[in-house]
Amino acid sequence: MTPTPFDDEIERNRHRAAEGSVNAMLDLAMGLRDRHRHTGDPADLLEGITHLRTALGHVLDHPVGHVLRVNLGALLLDHFEYFGEVPALHEAIAACDEAIPHLGEQDRRVAATMRAEALLVLAEHTRDVAYVDEALASAARLPRVPEVLFVLGRAQYQRYALTEDPTALVDAARLLDQSVRTSTAGDLNHLLRLNLLGDVLQTTAEHTGDESVRERAVRHLRAAVAGAPSTSGLLLDFKVDLAAALRDRGRYTGDLAALREGVSLLRDVLAATPSGTRPWGNRCENYLIAVHDLIEQTDDIELLDQAVEIGRSARGRGSKDATIPLLLGLLHHDRFLHTRLRSDLAAAVTAFTEVVESAPYGGSDHMAALGNLGRVWLSEYRFSGDPAALGRSVTALGSAVRASAPGTPQRGAAQINHGDALYAQYQLSLDPGVRAAAGHAFREAARTEESQPIVRIRAARAWARTEAEAGHWSRARDAYAFAVGLLPLVVPRRLARLDQQRLLEELNGLAADAAAGALGADDPETAVRLLELGRGVLGGQVLQSRTDLSRLRAVAPELAERLRDAFARLAPSDPLTGAAADERHGLDIRLGRLLDEARALPGFGDFLAPPELADLLASTRSGPVVLINVSGLRSDALIVEPSGVTVVELPGVTPDSVAERAAEFGAALRAATRPGAGETEAQNTVTQVLGWLWDVIAEPVLERLGLTAAPSGTWPRIWWSPVGQLALLPLHAAGRFPGDATVLDRAVSAYTPTLRALEHARARYARAQQGMVVVAIGDAPGAKALRSAEREAGEIAALTPATRLTGPQATTGAVRAALASHASAHFACHATSDPDDPSAGHLLLHDGPLSVLDVSALDLAHVRLAVLSACETYLGTHRIPDEGLHLVSAFQLAGYPQVVGTLWQVNDRVARLVAVDLHQGIARGEDVATALHHAVRRCRERYPRTPTLWAAYLYSGQ
């Protein structure tokens, strides 16, 4: 056996006990209990109980016998925790009852406190609240010392668990907080109290949805884990509780790192717990719950397979008979949803049916199983088309709704599941009454504030869909507006950028549908606002943090400084764990409070709020902005000008047609890079797609604007802001070739992700400074050589005074420093996009990448222009195209009001020609957009039949 810190003392007391020493028997028993808690070996616990019974036999009529009885009760409590045998609890209580009248004041308080603890354990096991009442009455007569406050708090917590009385939860938190504050920090009992307080706060957060309470809980629980000695058996229990809080954080916010940290903690706990013991069963349940929550947000099939096997091995060994079957049902259903294996669907039905048939009718286990069985039957219907399975699903899920308490996350989840089943029934029957019932269920789920934000927004989106399908356009508009309004809650700043991207991917297309719903209600102004709120959400967070705080600073300088600091510390980040994650979550909650504090000041009610329509219209004073909205409901161009919004219907545009053209275009771009017979065909395909863009979008828009021919004088300006996958196509290059039926021959084009981004760029432009840095890397390690890069840098530097960073000089550190000290920057280097993680797209510098995430975290003052003469610097991802996550947007967020970029891979030589031509135009006094426009037109004249060489270049900004 592995040595423990208790071995030597146990052996010394064992020798003395063998000589008949009662005190040695007591000390030996307590040492054996400590070692049992350390190792989990039940033999030590059983031996300790035997020694105490022997000692009692020696001193039945002696006062020390009463002390022995109390200690025997303590070991019997541990006996129950390990073996789950109720007689041990009753014997522990009886031992205290017999001893208490004969003990001194301090020992009597200890015994009475332990008796109350035993009653609470019995109440938890039997679900009988009478034992809680008895424990409360007993403890209430004792002095309010920390250990008594602890028991009283624990009793109120147990009362809440049995009655769901929220006042009991409030009392539990108050009593336990007092117990913690009046006990000695660092003492093991202090850690026990701190840990239970964390549990109570965690439960409070689940009940109320108060995130600040959840974060307090995590901090307390993490402190308990950090303070517990590695030799303490309580450490494993503390880790279980911390993992539960992290699981809830991850489930509510979408923080995958929190979910993974919880699973990792529980995996370690399970490995350290002897299999087959009562603690192992309880810890196994916690592990399986954590895995289920993680699997719901990932595709880790290997982890899911392992969890299923663990669940099978745990049947009959859990702390509650129904828990393991319920969890197995969930895991099998999870696996079916990922693999479509019919055997998993059948196993889920079997597991949930077992609980439905065996659990007390109407109880929590019965209703949980019935609700999950309804979800499985819905999956069965979707898999097999069996209408009988759908009918069973609707019935079961309706029962789950009626059985769940209003205003709880359980009720919200039940409502959305019931809505899904009803909507499937509507699709089968086309009964408008059933559709209305589904919409009602979705609406109620969306309005359940205690539910996770992602659940609420799913429900709101489904609710809006039912209203749109019914032709209730005003209701659809309002429902979609409700859904869009929840977006900030779904992707709070505290989340890692990867998590934000993942959550927004699920909501792709929401903004487009919302705008279409508003247009169906003949409300184009609201359509514009919803597009503003529903797109560029992550960029909007950064822009908000870059807002000038001078007006607030003049009124409340300390508050303004705290806000500035909070914004800076909440810059986009990689995943975090541990104390760093706790700090970020807490800081985001404090930021919300700071904003509330600022908005409470006179005249600051709209401080950092989304812009009003008048502000959005004013952002177009330099030229019209055309929002191209593509939705399955309808597609339109919204021409936004200071005078208002003009709608141009686009009947030839659908999400499917855009996706099809984008796929054709992408395939052609790839084929065009391979010399051979296919290159000509690829260029023809690109030309055809450009013609389609002209026919269905560009020409109708330009005609409405009166741009029907090439200008004879000053070129007009137009800003494009496409929605969805249309952002992957070059609207500025749309046209029919040859001839002048092209955008390039009618207007100077620019792009903007949102109207507020355009206004922000204009404000930045007015404060720009002078100076340029030219970064050229033709031979980055591990990359194909760019023969023209350094020549490009030299020719540009000859046009304007510039600092040059070339080759080994162009390190990430040197480039960051140069960006901060120069108004403009030109990059001639490799760049790449990342379709799986757009924030990982990067410029390749000499010593490594400078990523989208890196650049967008910069906050550069007085900068003006960034030219990214590299590949794919404007290319986002088809998964979340509305976020515009690419290098061009990153440089704009960093502060550059004008950015030139590319939509796809560009030819090294042609890139030099276009870049030099651009800077020559700027040197002649042309604005950047016009200079790029003419440079691209001249490149088109040089390569008229090869649009991939010139159509990639675009301008974004003011």
Side-chain angles (χ1 to χ4, degrees), residues 537-761:
V537 177
L538 303 182
Q541 290 179 349
V542 177
L543 291 180
Q544 186 189 49
S545 70
R546 305 285 163 82
T547 301
D548 185 3
L549 297 178
S550 58
R551 187 167 73 95
L552 178 64
R553 191 173 288 112
V555 175
E558 183 184 356
L559 176 58
E561 184 59 28
R562 282 187 287 154
L563 267 171
R564 187 202 63 76
D565 179 66
F567 279 135
R569 291 166 62 192
L570 282 168
S573 80
D574 291 320
L576 299 172
T577 59
D582 299 347
E583 181 182 7
R584 189 172 177 88
H585 278 265
L587 184 60
D588 195 16
I589 293 168
R590 289 197 295 278
L591 174 61
R593 291 174 177 165
L594 291 173
L595 289 172
D596 289 341
E597 185 179 343
R599 289 165 184 162
L601 296 172
F604 284 82
D606 60 350
F607 178 70
L608 297 187
E612 296 295 334
L613 180 65
D615 299 320
L616 297 176
L617 297 180
S619 69
T620 67
R621 55 190 174 274
S622 296
V625 176
V626 183
L627 309 175
I628 312 295
N629 192 60
V630 182
S631 165
L633 300 175
R634 57 182 287 169
S635 296
D636 304 84
L638 304 177
I639 302 174
V640 186
E641 298 176 282
S643 58
V645 183
T646 303
V647 179
V648 180
E649 295 184 13
L650 302 176
V653 182
T654 66
D656 287 343
S657 65
V658 171
E660 182 181 348
R661 295 304 188 283
E664 291 174 359
F665 197 82
L669 290 176
R670 291 188 292 274
T673 63
R674 299 188 292 268
E679 185 177 2
T680 299
E681 183 179 349
Q683 297 295 342
N684 289 337
T685 298
V686 169
T687 301
Q688 290 169 7
V689 173
L690 295 178
W692 177 81
L693 287 170
W694 172 260
D695 292 341
V696 300
I697 298 175
E699 186 177 34
V701 168
L702 294 181
E703 284 188 356
R704 182 64 61 90
L705 288 169
L707 303 177
T708 57
S712 56
T714 302
W715 281 81
R717 293 280 296 274
I718 182 173
W719 276 261
W720 301 100
S721 187
V723 175
Q725 291 196 49
L726 198 59
L728 306 177
L729 296 172
L731 281 167
H732 65 284
R736 288 289 177 186
F737 308 101
D740 66 351
T742 70
V743 175
L744 280 169
D745 294 310
R746 303 281 177 90
V748 173
S749 290
Y751 287 83
T752 184
T754 59
L755 293 169
R756 63 189 183 279
L758 181 60
E759 184 60 31
H760 183 80

Side-chain angles (χ1 to χ4, degrees), residues 465-494:
R465 180 187 62 208
T466 64
E467 299 291 3
E469 289 177 353
H472 301 151
W473 289 108
S474 294
R475 296 183 193 171
R477 173 199 59 199
D478 294 345
Y480 275 122
F482 186 91
V484 170
L486 292 171
L487 274 171
L489 299 179
V490 174
V491 286
R493 297 170 190 270
R494 75 197 70 166

Side-chain angles (χ1 to χ4, degrees), residues 807-868:
Q809 297 174 311
T811 63
T812 53
V815 168
R816 284 172 183 268
L819 293 178
S821 58
H822 293 79
S824 300
H826 182 103
F827 288 86
C829 60
H830 277 292
T832 184
S833 61
D834 187 331
D836 295 321
D837 178 10
S839 292
H842 59 268
L843 295 168
L844 185 57
L845 304 184
H846 179 75
D847 61 342
L850 186 66
S851 72
V852 169
L853 192 62
D854 295 332
V855 175
S856 59
L858 299 174
D859 187 6
L860 303 173
H862 310 303
V863 291
R864 174 165 293 188
L865 168 66
V867 178
L868 310 180

